[in-house]
C-alpha cells in the first residue's frame, strides 16, 4: 500500500512539474514574440553587426547577439533582471559584487573603453552612455544605457557576471545543474 502511495505521489509531482514547464515555455514564447514585434526593424550588434535575435537570456527576454557578444535589454527586461539580482543579493550575501566594490567612476570608465564604437538606442536613436548599477545585488555591474531609459546594451562579460551571481544565489552552475 505504501509503495502504491509513493508511486501516486511521484506521478502527481511529475504531472505538476510538466504543467509548470509547459506554462514556462508558453510564457517564454509570448515574451519572445512580443520582442520580435516590438523590434521588427533589425537591431544590429554593435560589435559584429549581426542582427540580434529575440531570446530568453538570464531568465528574461532580450535581443541577443547570435555570436554571444551581448544583448539589448529593454526597460521591462532590466526591471526584471534588477529584481532577480536584488533577490540573489539578499539570498547570497557573498556575491562577488557585494564583496569587492570598485568605485563607480572606474566601472563607468572601464565600460566606456570596452565600447569604443558609438551605440544608439533602437527605440529612440539616442546615443547610449556608460552607466554603473548602484542597487543592492547589482554593485560592480555596468552597461551602455539609453539616456531616455529605454534599455541597455549588456556585453558578454557583464552577462557572464550576472549569470554567475544568479547561479551563486540558487546554488546552480550555468547549465542549471545543482551544485553539490
Amino acid at each position: 500500500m505504501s509503495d502504491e502511495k509513493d508511486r501516486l505521489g511521484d506521478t502527481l509531482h511529475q504531472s505538476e512539474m510538466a504543467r509548470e514547464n509547459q506554462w514556462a515555455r508558453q510564457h517564454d514564447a509570448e515574451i519572445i514574440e512580443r520582442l520580435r514585434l516590438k523590434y521588427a526593424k533589425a537591431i544590429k550588434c554593435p560589435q559584429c553587426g549581426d542582427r540580434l535575435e529575440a531570446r530568453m537570456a538570464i531568465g528574461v527576454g532580450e535581443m541577443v547577439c547570435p555570436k554571444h557578444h551581448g544583448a539589448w535589454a529593454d526597460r521591462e527586461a532590466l526591471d526584471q533582471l534588477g529584481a532577480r539580482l536584488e533577490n540573489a543579493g539578499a539570498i547570497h550575501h557573498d556575491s562577488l559584487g557585494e564583496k569587492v566594490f570598485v568605485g563607480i567612476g572606474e566601472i563607468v570608465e572601464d565600460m566606456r573603453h570596452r565600447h569604443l564604437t558609438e551605440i544608439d538606442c533602437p527605440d529612440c536613436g539616442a546615443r547610449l552612455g556608460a552607466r554603473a548599477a548602484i542597487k543592492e545585488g547589482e554593485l560592480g555591474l555596468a552597461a551602455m544605457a539609453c539616456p531616455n531609459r529605454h534599455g541597455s546594451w549588456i556585453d558578454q562579460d557583464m552577462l557572464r557576471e550576472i549569470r554567475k551571481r544568479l547561479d551563486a544565489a540558487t546554488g546552480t552552475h550555468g547549465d542549471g545543474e545543482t551544485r553539490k
Side-chain angles (χ1 to χ4, degrees), residues 31-58:
I31 291 170
I32 289 169
E33 186 58 27
R34 246 192 338 256
L35 283 170
R36 283 189 183 125
L37 292 173
K38 181 177 181 179
Y39 296 109
K41 181 182 169 197
I43 302 174
K44 306 263 186 208
C45 172
Q47 191 166 345
C48 68
D50 281 0
R51 181 183 179 141
L52 301 184
E53 301 170 349
R55 282 197 221 153
M56 294 301 289
I58 316 174

Side-chain angles (χ1 to χ4, degrees), residues 37 76 86 97 109 115 117 152 154 156 167 178:
L37 292 173
E76 181 182 350
E86 187 174 354
E109 200 56 36
H115 299 286
T117 59
S152 294
I154 306 171
Q156 77 263 14
D167 288 347
T178 304

Side-chain angles (χ1 to χ4, degrees), residues 11-177:
T11 302
L12 289 173
H13 178 72
Q14 289 172 353
S15 174
E16 183 178 322
M17 293 295 293
R19 279 194 301 273
E20 287 178 14
N21 288 340
Q22 180 181 11
W23 176 86
R25 280 191 301 276
Q26 287 173 336
H27 183 69
D28 290 354
E30 289 169 7
I31 291 170
I32 289 169
E33 186 58 27
R34 246 192 338 256
L35 283 170
R36 283 189 183 125
L37 292 173
K38 181 177 181 179
Y39 296 109
K41 181 182 169 197
I43 302 174
K44 306 263 186 208
C45 172
Q47 191 166 345
C48 68
D50 281 0
R51 181 183 179 141
L52 301 184
E53 301 170 349
R55 282 197 221 153
M56 294 301 289
I58 316 174
V60 297
E62 300 174 320
M63 299 299 289
V64 180
C65 173
K67 293 182 181 166
H68 308 286
H69 291 131
W72 170 257
D74 64 12
R75 186 81 240 147
E76 181 182 350
L78 289 172
D79 290 343
Q80 291 172 1
L81 194 53
R84 291 187 66 207
L85 285 165
E86 187 174 354
N87 289 338
I91 293 168
H92 191 70
H93 297 290
D94 296 340
S95 71
L96 178 65
E98 304 302 327
K99 278 186 187 175
V100 180
F101 179 73
V102 178
I104 290 176
E106 291 177 40
I107 294 169
V108 170
E109 200 56 36
D110 178 56
M111 186 57 60
R112 271 195 199 108
H113 289 298
R114 281 195 227 179
H115 299 286
L116 299 176
T117 59
E118 302 292 337
I119 306 172
D120 295 332
C121 174
D123 290 331
C124 67
R127 191 68 20 106
L128 302 185
R131 300 273 189 278
I134 55 173
K135 289 183 182 169
E136 184 179 341
E138 299 177 12
L139 295 177
L141 299 177
M144 299 300 289
C146 172
N148 299 316
R149 301 178 46 87
H150 291 127
S152 294
W153 172 257
I154 306 171
D155 67 23
Q156 77 263 14
D157 294 334
M158 285 298 131
L159 288 172
R160 258 193 300 278
E161 179 60 28
I162 292 167
R163 168 55 65 202
K164 188 169 36 169
R165 290 181 189 195
L166 293 175
D167 288 347
T170 60
T172 59
H173 296 287
D175 56 8
E177 290 184 21

